[in-house]
Amino acid sequence: MERVRYLEPQEKQKTREMYEQIFSEDTKEFVDYYYKWKTKDNRILVLEEAGIPEVMMHLNPYTLWIHGHLRKVPYIVAVATYPDCRRQGKMGRVMEWALQDLAQQQAPFTFLLPADPAYYRGQGFVFFPCQNFQESFLGKGTEKKLFPDLQWQKAEAVDIPEMVEFSNNILQEKYHIFVKRDAQYYQRLFAETKAERGGILLLKEVSAKEPRCARGEEESRLKGILVYGVEQQKAEIQELLIEAQDSGYKTKLCREALPELEITFGEFPMMVRIANLREFVSLMKSEKACCYEIKVKDEMVPSNCGCFRIEVSKDGGRIQEISQEKVKEEIDIQKLAEMLLEDTCVYLKEWV
């Protein structure tokens, strides 16, 4: 008999065989990292037939800053179906189960990096309208040093408090939705970049005027963070956070940081899916006040369906039920997500 359920913590390792078979491009080092770090606090949803998993979906929790509010939101990864179980609607049933469960948990939304966007559109996902993208490719090369007073150095565990403060300040200035950084976030990221044969570099402004301690170490101020992985002499930049505004600086700074490698910028075009509409609306803000009197359709999450008046302004979002007679437009959950996120700047750049 077919059954959909979350695995118990002690059962999670049993999915490794399926992960390695479906995602064979991932190295052993990365899979080791994933099953050591990410399965500590994630949830793995499976569809079983006679007790044997045929489909799995991992929901990895992240604390997101959403217009000044902090919420735990699941990032859906490792969506997999055994080849002989495909094209039978099994993954669709798992996704529907997951979304309804998230709605009951009052999760505002979930997000993923789609392998097949058309498939996920059919399940109510849409691309975030306003996402951060970087240059797609930069060749290697040497150029005159851009800022003589700045230098790259390898990040260490002792740098984490400064990295947390710097990254959150930079992101909060520019974006409405992003992953909130903390010490645990960077501890995990050190392990992740090691598994990806990369690392984390810090751009420091060095001043010899004020010694840090009796040993005469120079005082330095953090100006940037570079997160990268390496494959076949190519560095994939996962994240580059710097104070400089000119994107041209990013090109030159990456070349200075990794002069022996070709540089590519990872792209993370995330898709979003509203889980609990009421919770989602309550977190939204917009400089441009808007009001919708609509009938919402959601084929996968019935609790989101109904007739509502939705108002969003710089002070926040409100939603209330209205009668059918007051409805001015009928709209599906995908279109509504695009409308409510139209001017929300999003920064999500997670591998897993």
Side-chain angles (χ1 to χ4, degrees), residues 12 30 33-43 58-62 75 77 188 192 350 352:
K12 292 180 181 180
F30 183 81
Y33 151 76
Y34 185 89
Y35 274 86
K36 178 180 179 180
W37 285 84
K38 299 304 294 185
T39 60
K40 287 180 180 179
D41 61 355
N42 78 346
R43 306 183 79 186
H58 295 215
L59 292 88
N60 295 348
Y62 281 92
Y75 178 26
V77 303
R188 180 193 57 77
E192 184 172 299
E350 304 303 323
V352 290

Side-chain angles (χ1 to χ4, degrees), residues 31-66:
V31 180
D32 286 344
Y33 151 76
Y34 185 89
Y35 274 86
K36 178 180 179 180
W37 285 84
K38 299 304 294 185
T39 60
K40 287 180 180 179
D41 61 355
N42 78 346
R43 306 183 79 186
I44 300 179
L45 189 62
V46 298
L47 181 150
E48 298 173 322
E49 187 73 45
I52 300 174
E54 297 180 337
V55 175
M56 73 173 179
M57 174 189 297
H58 295 215
L59 292 88
N60 295 348
Y62 281 92
T63 299
L64 297 192
W65 171 280
I66 307 172

Side-chain angles (χ1 to χ4, degrees), residues 18 20 31 40 99 105 120 160 196 226 232 235 274 277:
M18 185 179 190
E20 291 176 327
V31 180
K40 287 180 180 179
L99 291 172
Q105 296 176 39
Y120 291 107
I160 287 179
E196 290 283 8
L226 175 64
Q232 298 180 346
I274 293 175
L277 177 60

Side-chain angles (χ1 to χ4, degrees), residues 70-121:
L70 294 179
R71 291 289 188 277
K72 283 281 189 183
V73 174
Y75 178 26
I76 295 177
V77 303
V79 177
T81 305
Y82 276 123
D84 59 352
C85 300
R86 293 172 183 168
R87 301 188 183 281
Q88 299 174 36
K90 293 178 183 286
M91 180 54 72
R93 292 195 287 278
V94 171
M95 182 64 78
E96 184 173 9
W97 197 100
L99 291 172
Q100 291 182 11
D101 182 64
L102 291 174
Q104 289 183 346
Q105 296 176 39
Q106 296 188 317
F109 62 88
T110 183
F111 64 101
L112 53 76
L113 184 63
D116 182 358
Y119 175 78
Y120 291 107
R121 286 193 188 98

Side-chain angles (χ1 to χ4, degrees), residues 243-339:
E243 289 185 347
Q245 300 297 315
D246 188 339
S247 62
Y249 292 171
K250 296 182 179 181
T251 300
K252 296 176 182 178
L253 286 171
C254 286
R255 286 175 172 167
E256 290 176 4
L258 304 165
E260 302 303 318
L261 299 173
E262 289 190 358
I263 306 295
T264 62
F265 279 94
E267 293 189 357
F268 299 82
M270 297 290 184
M271 298 185 83
V272 59
R273 211 297 183 180
I274 293 175
N276 185 300
L277 177 60
R278 290 168 177 81
E279 183 68 14
F280 183 84
V281 171
S282 73
L283 297 172
M284 291 296 101
K285 291 183 180 180
S286 176
E287 289 298 318
K288 181 177 64 176
C290 55
C291 178
Y292 308 104
E293 293 177 326
I294 55 177
K295 181 176 182 179
V296 179
K297 299 182 298 180
D298 190 335
E299 295 182 356
M300 300 188 78
V301 186
S303 60
N304 287 334
C305 298
C307 302
F308 305 103
R309 177 185 174 89
I310 296 175
E311 299 175 84
V312 181
S313 69
K314 63 181 180 180
D315 297 319
R318 295 177 56 201
I319 180 171
Q320 64 183 87
E321 293 188 30
I322 59 174
S323 65
Q324 176 74 44
E325 291 72 26
K326 293 183 179 180
V327 170
K328 296 179 180 178
E329 184 180 5
E330 189 169 308
I331 193 169
D332 60 37
I333 199 73
Q334 298 100 309
K335 181 62 178 176
L336 180 58
E338 291 177 326
M339 291 163 55

